[in-house]
Amino acid sequence: MSVRVRFAPSPTGPLHIGGVRTALYNYLFAKKNGGDFILRIEDTDQSRYVAGAEQYIIDSLAWLGLSFDESPAGGPHAPYRQSERKDIYSKYAQTLIDTGKAYYAFDSAEELDAMRKELEAAKVDNPSYNSVTRMKMKNSITLGKEETQRRIANGDPHVVRLMVPLKEEIRFKDMIRDWVVVHSSTIDDKVLLKADGMPTYHLANIVDDHEMGITHVIRGEEWLPSAPLHILLYKAFGWQHPEFAHLPLLLKPEGNGKLSKRDGLLGDFPVFPVEWKDDSGEVSRGFKQDGYLPEAVLNFLALLGWNPGTEQEIFSLEELINAFSIDRINKSGARFDIQKAQWFNQHYIKTMDDATLVAEVNKGLDNEHLASQLVKLMKERVTFIKEIKTEVPYLFEAPSAYDETVAAKKWDDLAKKAMPIIIELLAGVDDFSTENIHKAIWEGLPEQEIKPGKVMQALRLATTGAGNGPDLMLMLEILGKEEVTARIKKALEVLGA
Ligand code: GLU
């Protein structure tokens, strides 16, 4: 049987980076096994529906290069949006009623509330609508066939509930967590079909996984508590359930508790793949807009909860597909370490081809020659592409101040003597290239009994205002002879000659 997995987000807002990891693991598992990766939109909870969230999910995964074999755009099991599959669920709910596995319940909100209060007063553990309490409520079991039919014909509001067995051990083998065993007494008679005729998550999810031929359900740990109920539902339908793999949580940078949006704000990092603007105009940062490369995000996420069993850290998507296996997913949560994401980003910038990088840097610069010089200067030094420009502001504007500590140490008598000489040496350089500048200074200064190394930091200070930075000779070339000369003169004025 060929592998079929699905990513089944609810469009309730922007997709959290943990959701992206879930999608990635599903994708890797599908591709590793030559299977299909399906996008299903679980939008049955209309009160939580957020316009634009579905498109956001699609755009985010497209940015990362995770493509679907089937999705709302099309496929053999269309439609892939649950809101468009309403009839399917009521048909299946009816099957369960017909076979005595589910029942109608007519209880009002007040009646349900009263039951809960009564149970709480009697100190019942875990008060719920279950095999015991259902016998005291208004449902098709207690009301009988005729009254039930009369109420339905009358249009009385009602839900459909699963008849959870009284005493049954529910067990399944999770691919990550091994055996999970739960007693049915801990599960209540869950609503499957709501009063408005819409299915709940549980019914829709199981019906679709079955109808769509899903073989493996790979999802976040937060769904583990629902899994026993899902097993019961499969059983009630008489279907074989898919394999389950519940992924470990993404933890806060400190390692305690689930990673939240707030952690991103506190730690100054994004927790969403791409930027999201909500209705109120509030903007949530995205990895994309922050300057992370898709390759870096994929690599980072892949290793957040999974390990290849080797020392290898750098993986292309292709390599991830080859190396991936569910048994190397950790059971315990994965600490979110943004420095690691930055480390990957730095790596992927270093290995990016120059032409692509130059084109990127040239955006808004419109000077290809300068862009390529900047790339040469900064490629090995930056974490984000934008830093190729922002880390060297002095290449675009003369320094308005000089690093005081460096000035105090390095702007000494020797520097003061050397600077006018350097101006003269540079005047003699026709082709103002890194090599020629270097040659002029390194040959010229020793002739005046000055060791170039002793005044290089002063020259850097004079031309950039800073005490350290990227390759000085290349920066001088980028600035050009006139600008360099003017800057040294200005430094002699300000710092003293
Ligand atoms: N709609 C659920 C979610 O938002 C899907 C959970 C599952 O994969 O079963 O995550």
Side-chain angles (χ1 to χ4, degrees):
M1 191 167 54
S2 95
V3 163
R4 287 174 61 78
V5 296
R6 84 307 193 267
F7 179 52
S10 298
T12 54
L15 180 64
H16 185 274
I17 198 73
V20 179
R21 187 196 58 173
T22 301
L24 172 63
Y25 285 11
N26 272 283
Y27 176 88
L28 295 176
F29 183 72
K31 297 302 137 191
K32 165 89 188 209
N33 293 290
D36 293 322
F37 176 49
I38 294 147
L39 173 64
R40 184 173 74 226
I41 300 295
E42 301 210 324
D43 57 352
T44 53
D45 189 350
Q46 313 216 298
S47 62
R48 295 181 64 217
Y49 181 81
V50 172
E54 177 182 325
Q55 196 53 46
Y56 175 91
I57 291 164
I58 292 171
D59 293 347
S60 299
L61 298 177
W63 173 59
L64 292 167
L66 303 179
S67 52
F68 296 103
D69 300 295
E70 298 167 31
S71 76
H77 295 277
Y80 291 87
R81 249 179 234 112
Q82 291 187 326
S83 57
E84 294 164 18
R85 300 170 63 81
K86 210 173 140 185
D87 296 345
I88 302 175
Y89 310 121
S90 41
K91 187 187 88 193
Y92 279 109
Q94 190 59 50
T95 317
L96 288 185
I97 289 174
D98 293 346
T99 53
K101 305 287 178 100
Y103 60 90
Y104 296 108
F106 300 91
D107 316 279
S108 65
E110 293 74 32
E111 287 164 334
L112 290 171
D113 209 40
M115 165 184 68
R116 217 190 42 248
K117 289 207 174 107
E118 202 178 303
L119 293 172
E120 273 165 8
K123 303 251 181 297
V124 171
D125 281 350
N126 183 22
S128 65
Y129 206 119
N130 58 25
S131 56
V132 177
T133 54
R134 73 165 84 105
M135 299 316 289
K136 289 195 228 151
M137 304 302 288
K138 291 204 176 65
N139 50 52
S140 49
I141 304 161
T142 57
L143 297 171
K145 206 170 173 183
E146 252 170 59
E147 174 62 7
T148 301
Q149 256 150 23
R150 190 194 66 75
R151 285 182 180 230
I152 289 175
N154 194 39
D156 287 9
H158 61 275
V159 299
V160 173
R161 286 181 183 272
L162 178 67
M163 191 156 357
V164 175
L166 173 61
K167 282 188 188 154
E168 198 173 302
E169 203 175 62
I170 307 157
R171 46 168 64 228
F172 69 96
K173 196 171 183 192
D174 186 274
M175 293 173 81
I176 298 168
R177 275 141 224 282
D178 213 44
W179 285 102
V180 176
V181 183
V182 172
H183 200 272
S184 67
S185 60
T186 62
I187 301 175
D188 59 333
D189 286 0
K190 281 271 173 333
V191 172
L192 301 178
L193 213 56
K194 294 182 273 191
D196 61 3
M198 279 299 244
T200 54
Y201 153 72
H202 304 292
L203 177 66
N205 188 270
I206 264 54
V207 164
D208 285 346
D209 282 348
H210 175 72
E211 283 234 322
M212 295 179 179
I214 299 303
T215 56
H216 297 78
V217 168
I218 304 168
R219 61 185 174 189
E221 183 181 294
E222 62 273 29
W223 300 103
L224 188 59
S226 300
L229 170 71
H230 295 175
I231 299 284
L232 275 181
L233 267 168
Y234 279 104
K235 223 172 145 189
F237 279 116
W239 298 333
Q240 203 195 338
H241 66 76
E243 299 271 359
F244 287 97
H246 288 91
L247 305 175
L249 289 177
L250 288 194
L251 303 177
K252 292 177 186 300
E254 312 79 51
N256 54 336
K258 197 174 158 184
L259 178 74
S260 71
K261 191 171 159 179
R262 213 178 114 75
D263 297 315
L265 288 173
L266 288 174
D268 193 27
F269 58 78
V271 296
F272 298 106
V274 304
E275 190 176 272
W276 167 264
K277 266 193 206 97
D278 74 7
D279 280 348
S280 69
E282 191 192 317
V283 176
S284 300
R285 279 161 67 171
F287 274 84
K288 180 181 178 187
Q289 285 74 11
D290 265 32
Y292 289 87
L293 299 170
E295 301 88 317
V297 175
L298 287 174
N299 204 151
F300 166 63
L301 287 180
L303 292 178
L304 216 51
W306 170 82
N307 71 82
T310 64
E311 294 293 299
Q312 186 178 349
E313 287 198 280
I314 302 298
F315 287 89
S316 66
L317 190 53
E318 225 27 63
E319 289 170 324
L320 284 173
I321 292 171
N322 286 329
F324 192 74
S325 74
I326 292 204
D327 45 297
R328 292 210 155 273
I329 293 175
N330 310 332
K331 278 193 189 62
S332 50
R335 203 171 60 81
F336 193 82
D337 176 8
I338 197 69
Q339 273 85 29
K340 196 73 201 185
Q342 292 171 359
W343 180 83
F344 279 116
N345 215 52
Q346 198 169 17
H347 168 83
Y348 282 102
I349 291 174
K350 278 188 197 161
T351 56
M352 217 165 150
D353 73 282
D354 282 356
T356 316
L357 213 43
V358 169
E360 199 54 42
V361 172
N362 199 26
K363 281 182 192 158
L365 196 64
D366 282 337
N367 182 340
E368 206 176 301
H369 178 63
L370 176 58
S372 76
Q373 283 177 311
L374 287 170
V375 166
K376 193 168 158 204
L377 182 72
M378 299 298 287
K379 187 177 179 178
E380 299 285 327
R381 301 177 58 96
V382 296
T383 303
F384 299 105
I385 294 176
K386 61 187 171 213
E387 291 173 350
I388 290 178
K389 285 183 269 195
T390 60
E391 289 290 288
V392 282
Y394 40 71
L395 290 183
F396 301 92
E397 216 168 317
S400 55
Y402 302 91
D403 184 307
E404 283 174 26
T405 327
V406 179
K409 266 213 208 133
K410 300 288 174 179
W411 198 261
D412 51 14
D413 288 343
L414 188 67
K416 289 176 190 169
K417 181 181 164 200
M419 292 305 135
I421 301 172
I422 291 176
I423 293 179
E424 252 173 59
L425 291 170
L426 296 181
V429 181
D430 287 334
D431 174 10
F432 206 67
S433 69
T434 306
E435 298 72 32
N436 292 344
I437 297 166
H438 188 269
K439 192 162 175 261
I441 294 176
W442 259 258
E443 281 176 6
L445 283 182
E447 282 173 17
Q448 311 288 326
E449 312 280 299
I450 299 172
K451 282 192 181 134
K454 291 237 181 257
V455 296
M456 272 315 104
Q457 226 186 335
L459 179 59
R460 179 183 292 281
L461 184 74
T463 49
T464 69
N468 51 47
D471 187 63
L472 181 59
M473 295 300 117
L474 182 50
M475 287 205 288
L476 298 183
E477 176 189 317
I478 294 172
L479 287 170
K481 192 186 335 192
E482 242 174 79
E483 182 67 18
V484 169
T485 309
R487 287 187 186 191
I488 301 174
K489 283 184 179 160
K490 172 93 185 289
L492 285 164
E493 265 170 52
V494 178
L495 299 171

